[in-house]
Amino acid sequence: MIRITHAARTAALGVAVLTFSAGLAACSPAAGTSAAPTAEPTIAKVDSAAALLPDAVKSAGVLKVAIPTNEPPTQFYRPGTQEMTGVNPDIARLIAQALGLKIQIQVTAFDAIIPGMAAGRYDLTVSSMTPTKARMEQLDFVDYVQMGSALAVPAGNPKHISLDTLCGAKVAVLEGSYQLTVNIPPITDKCKADGKPAPQLFQFSDTHQAISSVLSDRTDVVYADQPILGYAAKQEPRIALAGISDIAPVSVGIAHDTGTLKAVSAALIAIVASPEYKKVLDKYGLTSMAITDPRVNAAQG
């Protein structure tokens, strides 16, 4: 398994990164627009949910939310600013508003979120995190949208890559991702059982870097969340999707000892039933990600 260091990654990406970055900066996650959507969602305080907050959180008046970045349309900086936008920041803002709290979005690498929550740095995460049994040992979860996994390959798929042909392929994945920790192991086991080489894994800290590795011919395919890869394929004609699978809910993650699970669950029940929820998904062209039942601790793998 190969982990790409920051220095090596920066040197290797070169023109491919610059070209891809320029394309993303010029386009919106919402089809047919030329700038990132600016309207932020608003929802009235849900008193019944806010009443379930622990006194310490009520007194602080702030909800610290860990979110990665550089992955439109789920989370990214508004072009030319350090302001986070995307589905996940907008959902996080709705949760804070429903609970009568101010929000502090704290940008962090995906694989640093759970350790950071264990250290008390964040109250929760809204980061397209799949509620696996392993993660439930450290966090509680409440579903808020659904999404699938997908493969992104060079346009035309010259190597004819699919979920059934990953043996020996150079596969770009995100550090700590569902694809890496849950999907890849059985694929590797099957390759070995069939006498074929295992996938060669290249780990990256965000999907943008992973896609750039395909564009620079260092990897054959990216295995990551479908909304992010689908958006990237719309903006970058040199890549295309080669398969979608595992469509299932992803969840807000909450540390066990915060005492906020019931409050967040009640807030999300109100949010999912509100017009603002649909507006957020519509804004980014992701209406199909809507759910109707924000389940609590429903393991996906």
Side-chain angles (χ1 to χ4, degrees):
M1 185 178 296
I2 299 173
R3 184 181 298 270
I4 306 298
T5 66
H6 177 75
R9 180 189 303 128
T10 301
L13 293 180
V15 174
V17 170
L18 295 176
T19 302
F20 186 55
S21 297
L24 291 184
C27 301
S28 163
T33 61
S34 59
T38 56
E40 292 186 359
T42 57
I43 193 170
K45 180 181 178 181
V46 180
D47 291 333
S48 58
L52 298 172
L53 287 169
D55 290 340
V57 177
K58 291 179 184 177
S59 298
V62 173
L63 196 65
K64 295 178 290 184
V65 185
I67 302 180
T69 190
N70 212 19
E71 295 180 332
T74 53
Q75 60 255 334
F76 60 107
Y77 288 118
R78 196 181 303 282
T81 76
Q82 290 296 301
E83 179 185 355
M84 287 287 288
T85 191
V87 170
N88 288 337
D90 280 1
I91 293 292
R93 291 181 178 108
L94 289 178
I95 293 171
Q97 292 167 6
L99 295 176
L101 302 172
K102 295 181 179 179
I103 189 169
Q104 288 182 2
I105 293 176
Q106 301 191 6
V107 176
T108 186
F110 185 83
D111 63 340
I113 290 175
I114 291 179
M117 294 183 73
R121 290 195 290 271
Y122 320 119
D123 297 310
L124 52 85
T125 182
V126 186
S127 54
S128 307
M129 187 174 285
T130 302
T132 64
K133 292 178 181 178
R135 288 172 178 160
M136 284 183 183
E137 294 177 3
Q138 297 171 286
L139 303 179
D140 288 305
F141 290 95
V142 186
D143 297 345
Y144 68 100
V145 293
Q146 64 180 358
M147 62 176 62
S149 298
L151 301 178
V153 297
N157 198 3
K159 295 187 178 180
H160 306 290
I161 290 175
S162 70
L163 287 167
D164 297 323
T165 63
L166 292 181
C167 299
K170 296 177 181 178
V171 183
V173 291
L174 267 66
E175 297 167 351
S177 67
Y178 182 82
Q179 292 80 21
L180 172 64
T181 59
V182 176
N183 289 348
I184 285 291
I187 292 173
T188 297
D189 290 344
K190 186 176 188 307
C191 291
K192 292 179 178 178
D194 292 343
K196 298 178 181 179
Q200 301 176 58
L201 303 181
F202 292 71
Q203 294 188 45
F204 295 89
S205 60
D206 65 49
T207 314
H208 181 172
Q209 296 165 352
I211 292 170
S212 294
S213 75
V214 169
L215 293 177
S216 58
D217 296 323
R218 291 180 298 119
T219 61
D220 301 320
V221 57
V222 181
Y223 196 9
D225 291 341
Q226 182 275 327
I228 299 167
L229 296 183
Y231 166 71
K234 289 180 181 178
Q235 312 307 322
E236 173 50 75
R238 291 177 294 166
I239 62 171
L241 297 192
I244 300 173
S245 64
D246 306 320
I247 297 176
V250 296
S251 306
V252 173
I254 308 159
H256 290 317
D257 59 357
T258 62
T260 59
L261 175 61
K262 290 182 179 180
V264 172
S265 175
L268 278 167
I269 289 171
I271 289 165
V272 165
S274 75
E276 287 301 322
Y277 178 69
K278 184 177 185 297
K279 288 179 184 177
V280 166
L281 298 182
D282 287 351
K283 183 167 73 169
Y284 299 99
L286 298 173
T287 306
S288 63
M289 287 173 52
I291 63 169
T292 57
D293 179 17
R295 301 173 304 169
V296 174
N297 289 331
Q300 298 297 322

